[in-house]
Amino acid sequence: MYTIKTYNAIAEEGLKKFDVENYQLNQTDDPDGIVLRSQNLHDMKFSSQLKAIARAGAGTNNIPIQECTEKGIVVFNTPGANANAVKELVLASLLLAVRPIIEGVEWVKTLEGPDIDKKVEAEKKRFVGSELAGKQLGVIGLGSIGAMVANDAYRLGMDVVGYDPYVSVDTAWSISSRVKRVLSIEEVLTTSDYITVHVPLLDSTRAMISAEKLALIKKEAVLLNFARGELVDLDAVISALKNGQLKSYLTDFADERLIEMDNVVVLPHLGASTEEAEINCAKMASKTLKYFLETGNIVHSVNFPTVEMVLNFPLRLAIINRNITNMVAQMSIGLAEYGVNIVNIMNKSRGDYAYTLIDIESIPEEKLMDIVNRIKSVAGILSVRVIKNESIK
């Protein structure tokens, strides 16, 4: 029986993935796994019982990743689960950038008396805009969201260029051949009429849209940021808006410095706020966490490598360790000392850490615990977990 603790409102459709025969929800504060959305875990003390945290969303800034990694806690997110919701909001914002839709709606609300239709016809020239077709959109970051934005912007008649040195093979296959890949962010900035940012917030990407980068932007271009507020140097953006380098800035991240500016549209963090996105994220987070707890397999982790191996044998050891030499050999020696043969093994590393799955035949419980303790005693081993294949008796 596994125990799960949830924070925030996790969609019921996701929580149903945890069958009552094998899972208890919110029955303890010392769970095997956590599912959350925005709950801040930076001040939380994690027990040795906690094995994994699943974030129902893409960003994991509310989770202390390094601390979790050191404790052998696998952190998952749900890449792509809310991509369509964010994509639609970005496309809507592109339309808001070229047509004064909000201003027109607010103006019509001020009209009174008869012949409103005539007043509208007489004054509609005040709200003349332009069209997206034929303009160039530059997409910085071609992950799940960026790729979808690029494809649909092309379908709206835009010329689309994209920059992402780390685009995955799966995403690359999904991007239309009509989207031109460029080799530098500078090429995006200097040639695009509209620029949209879709990269994760890392130390290397914080304030990536800097004063230096903004100086390269095509005169009176439009900047959209629906990824993370900290990706732009906001003071530099404001300066570029004031001096006319930027025509306008549209974002999903509110800041008091932006509220009174006429050439800024600030939305109240609506990116993934659709019923469908919340359900998709909850389903994906729950499914990923359940898959890990029951098989040891890791997918969509932000701190450990992807490791998948079919569970065909009675017992599996899931081992997290520092990525140093001779670790797999020492695990094998620990098993050999007890006369246990390895029938299947997979080891992968990610940075300073590694993850190993070892399948073995059935052995007595006491002997199994001795083996676990033996492996745990090896310097550099962070955690050892036993997974029993209940389909094999």
Side-chain angles (χ1 to χ4, degrees), residues 275-342:
E275 293 181 4
E276 294 87 348
E278 291 180 6
I279 290 172
N280 289 340
C281 286
K283 284 182 175 180
M284 188 172 180
S286 300
K287 183 178 179 181
T288 301
L289 178 56
K290 181 178 179 181
Y291 186 47
F292 170 71
L293 291 175
E294 294 179 5
T295 69
N297 290 328
I298 294 178
V299 293
H300 306 311
S301 173
V302 300
N303 60 339
F304 285 99
T306 296
V307 178
E308 289 189 273
M309 189 168 75
V310 176
L311 182 55
N312 284 333
F313 297 93
L315 294 172
R316 169 169 287 180
L317 302 180
I319 304 167
I320 294 175
N321 58 276
R322 299 191 189 282
N323 186 22
I324 53 181
T325 59
N326 205 37
M327 292 302 295
V328 174
Q330 292 191 73
M331 297 174 199
S332 300
I333 290 171
L335 287 162
E337 288 176 356
Y338 288 87
V340 175
N341 183 47
I342 294 174

Side-chain angles (χ1 to χ4, degrees), residues 91-361:
L91 295 178
S93 297
L94 279 170
L95 293 170
L96 292 177
V98 294
R99 304 290 293 273
I101 297 169
I102 296 175
E103 297 89 337
V105 169
E106 292 302 317
W107 176 75
V108 170
K109 288 181 179 180
T110 68
L111 299 179
E112 298 178 350
D115 300 326
I116 286 180
D117 57 333
K118 294 179 180 179
K119 293 178 183 177
V120 167
E121 287 301 316
E123 296 293 331
K124 68 180 183 180
K125 58 182 176 293
R126 293 167 51 184
F127 305 102
V128 172
S130 58
E131 298 182 12
L132 291 173
K135 308 300 192 306
Q136 180 169 300
L137 174 68
V139 182
I140 300 173
L142 294 169
S144 299
I145 297 170
M148 294 177 74
V149 169
N151 287 342
D152 282 6
Y154 164 73
R155 295 185 183 106
L156 289 174
M158 302 189 78
D159 297 322
V160 184
V161 299
Y163 169 73
D164 190 335
Y166 307 110
V167 65
S168 70
V169 173
D170 289 342
T171 300
W173 278 107
S174 72
I175 299 173
S176 169
S177 60
R178 304 284 185 157
V179 175
K180 179 185 176 184
R181 292 278 304 282
V182 297
L183 300 179
S184 71
I185 190 173
E186 287 77 14
E187 186 172 352
V188 173
L189 298 175
T190 57
T191 63
S192 299
D193 303 295
Y194 302 86
I195 300 160
T196 182
V197 182
H198 299 285
V199 299
L201 179 61
L202 308 169
D203 290 340
S204 59
T205 61
R206 188 178 299 274
M208 65 180 295
I209 305 300
S210 60
E212 180 184 14
K213 291 293 192 293
L214 287 167
L216 301 175
I217 285 180
K218 187 176 180 180
K219 188 73 171 180
E220 293 195 337
V222 173
L223 177 64
L224 298 92
N225 177 16
F226 286 77
R228 285 290 180 269
E230 297 88 346
L231 293 171
V232 307
D233 178 339
L234 197 52
D235 289 331
V237 167
I238 292 170
S239 177
L241 289 167
K242 289 181 177 179
N243 66 29
Q245 184 70 22
L246 272 180
K247 181 179 180 181
S248 59
Y249 178 55
L250 296 92
T251 184
D252 209 16
F253 308 100
D255 188 286
E256 61 183 6
R257 291 169 287 178
L258 298 174
I259 302 303
E260 300 300 326
M261 298 189 69
D262 292 333
N263 47 354
V264 172
V265 175
V266 181
L267 301 179
H269 204 184
L270 298 178
S273 295
T274 67
E275 293 181 4
E276 294 87 348
E278 291 180 6
I279 290 172
N280 289 340
C281 286
K283 284 182 175 180
M284 188 172 180
S286 300
K287 183 178 179 181
T288 301
L289 178 56
K290 181 178 179 181
Y291 186 47
F292 170 71
L293 291 175
E294 294 179 5
T295 69
N297 290 328
I298 294 178
V299 293
H300 306 311
S301 173
V302 300
N303 60 339
F304 285 99
T306 296
V307 178
E308 289 189 273
M309 189 168 75
V310 176
L311 182 55
N312 284 333
F313 297 93
L315 294 172
R316 169 169 287 180
L317 302 180
I319 304 167
I320 294 175
N321 58 276
R322 299 191 189 282
N323 186 22
I324 53 181
T325 59
N326 205 37
M327 292 302 295
V328 174
Q330 292 191 73
M331 297 174 199
S332 300
I333 290 171
L335 287 162
E337 288 176 356
Y338 288 87
V340 175
N341 183 47
I342 294 174
V343 293
N344 212 358
I345 185 170
M346 180 176 288
N347 169 269
K348 288 187 179 182
S349 63
R350 179 172 178 174
D352 295 330
Y353 301 88
Y355 186 65
T356 305
L357 294 179
I358 300 175
D359 289 349
I360 60 178
E361 296 288 358

